[in-house]
């Protein structure tokens, strides 16, 4: 078999595999491949191009396929949909595998960088911590709604809520007192878990030389540096810093036609978590400007005056994304201090 391209539709237990030759003719059609047999099947195929959707487990399979000489590329699922076979109606695993096989060969297709195991280990810390962070306000909102059913309305600020709720616990009837107490205890446990994960992420950032370089950028602390390093790797998947800013979603969307350029709001594409970290770092920069007169501070201050606060925040976040890419790709060859001076 002269297979040059394979598309694999990933799943939990049963996979669909579609392979084509130099003429685009299907030569490997396996609509149902058990999970235990997938690696054996791919190991028997001569080195070729393999495409998969960037979903759960995709990075794991990519790392397994590479030692056999295959070139593995991951595609965002939304970019595969237009390539689903037009001659067929409906959606099934075999059609998805054929669409992936077609999409991976397109010259202008954008791919997702394959993450190494150590990157996913760090990202596991971030994802778990972020889950606890998102759970905490939901818990306090639930608590506030429950006590309001008994006529107890407290301030929205968490510090004020925790300070004043103790005086009202005895006023709660029956099992409601126990429920509120359990919610408060769970909130304390979440606070402790988040603090533990913050320390673990900070330690991981301090132990990596590249993270230390990233933390020299204004507005980038251990959490942001660790997330950038785990997400971008060495940065070689991107041609320049602007591509990184666009990948994170910090560039304006274009609505241009007839020779007229129209720019709208930022696209908000890519990783929302990474984008929020960069935006929070940019806000911290503006909050700490004071009377600083270095080049970067003067630029940020004039940007706020010319374009407004939020546009300045996005511009600083995008600048940090571009600088972070340069630091990761060029390392010591990139003059960091000159770039932010």
């Amino acid at each position: 078999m002269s297979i040059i391209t394979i598309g694999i539709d990933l799943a939990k237990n049963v996979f669909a595999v579609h392979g084509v030759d130099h003429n685009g003719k299907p030569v490997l059609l396996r609509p149902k491949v058990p999970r235990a047999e997938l690696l054996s099947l791919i190991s028997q195929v001569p080195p070729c191009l393999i495409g998969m959707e960037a979903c759960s487990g995709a990075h794991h399979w990519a790392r397994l396929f590479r030692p056999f000489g295959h070139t593995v590329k991951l595609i965002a699922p939304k970019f595969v949909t237009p390539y689903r076979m037009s001659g067929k109606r409906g959606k099934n695993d075999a059609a998805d595998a054929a669409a992936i096989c077609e999409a991976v060969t397109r010259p202008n297709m954008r791919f997702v960088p394959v993450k190494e195991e150590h990157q996913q280990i760090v990202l596991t810390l971030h994802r778990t911590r972020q889950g606890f962070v998102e759970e905490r306000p939901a818990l306090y909102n639930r608590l506030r709604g429950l006590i309001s059913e008994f006529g107890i309305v407290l301030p929205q600020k968490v510090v004020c809520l925790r300070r004043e709720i103790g005086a009202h616990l005895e006023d709660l009837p029956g099992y409601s007192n126990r429920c509120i107490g359990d919610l408060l205890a769970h909130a304390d446990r979440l606070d402790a878990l988040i603090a533990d994960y913050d320390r673990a992420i900070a330690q991981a950032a301090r132990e990596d030389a590249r993270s230390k370089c990233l933390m020299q950028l204004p507005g980038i602390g251990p959490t942001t540096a660790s997330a950038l390093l785990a997400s971008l790797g060495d940065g070689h998947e991107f041609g320049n810093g602007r591509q990184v800013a666009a990948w994170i979603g910090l560039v304006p969307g274009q609505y241009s036609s007839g020779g007229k350029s129209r720019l709208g709001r930022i696209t908000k594409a890519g990783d929302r978590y990474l984008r929020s970290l960069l935006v929070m770092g940019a806000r911290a920069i503006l909050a700490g400007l004071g009377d600083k007169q270095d080049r970067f501070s003067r630029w940020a201050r004039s940007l706020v005056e010319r374009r407004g606060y939020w546009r300045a925040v996005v511009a600083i976040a995008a600048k940090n994304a571009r600088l972070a890419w340069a630091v990761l790709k060029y390392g010591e060859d990139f003059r960091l201090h000159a770039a932010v001076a």
Side-chain angles (χ1 to χ4, degrees), residues 3 6 34 69 93 117-118 128 139 212 214 246 291 293-294 334:
I3 300 174
I6 293 177
D93 294 344
E117 189 176 62
H118 66 87
T128 306
L139 186 147
K212 292 181 179 179
L214 288 175
D291 297 328
Q293 295 302 320
D294 58 278
F334 178 69

Side-chain angles (χ1 to χ4, degrees), residues 107-125:
N108 295 323
M109 178 58 65
R110 287 173 286 176
F111 300 103
V112 177
V114 177
K115 293 181 176 62
E116 301 299 334
E117 189 176 62
H118 66 87
Q119 293 177 263
Q120 290 195 291
I121 291 173
V122 175
L123 286 176
T124 301
L125 285 174

Side-chain angles (χ1 to χ4, degrees), residues 2-6 19-24 27 45 47-50 105:
S2 57
I3 300 174
I4 64 168
T5 309
I6 293 177
V20 298
D21 60 13
H22 291 80
N23 299 318
V27 292
V45 177
C48 62
L49 173 63
I50 297 179
T105 61

Side-chain angles (χ1 to χ4, degrees), residues 13 132 141 232 249:
N13 299 312
F132 293 144
N141 289 337
L232 299 179

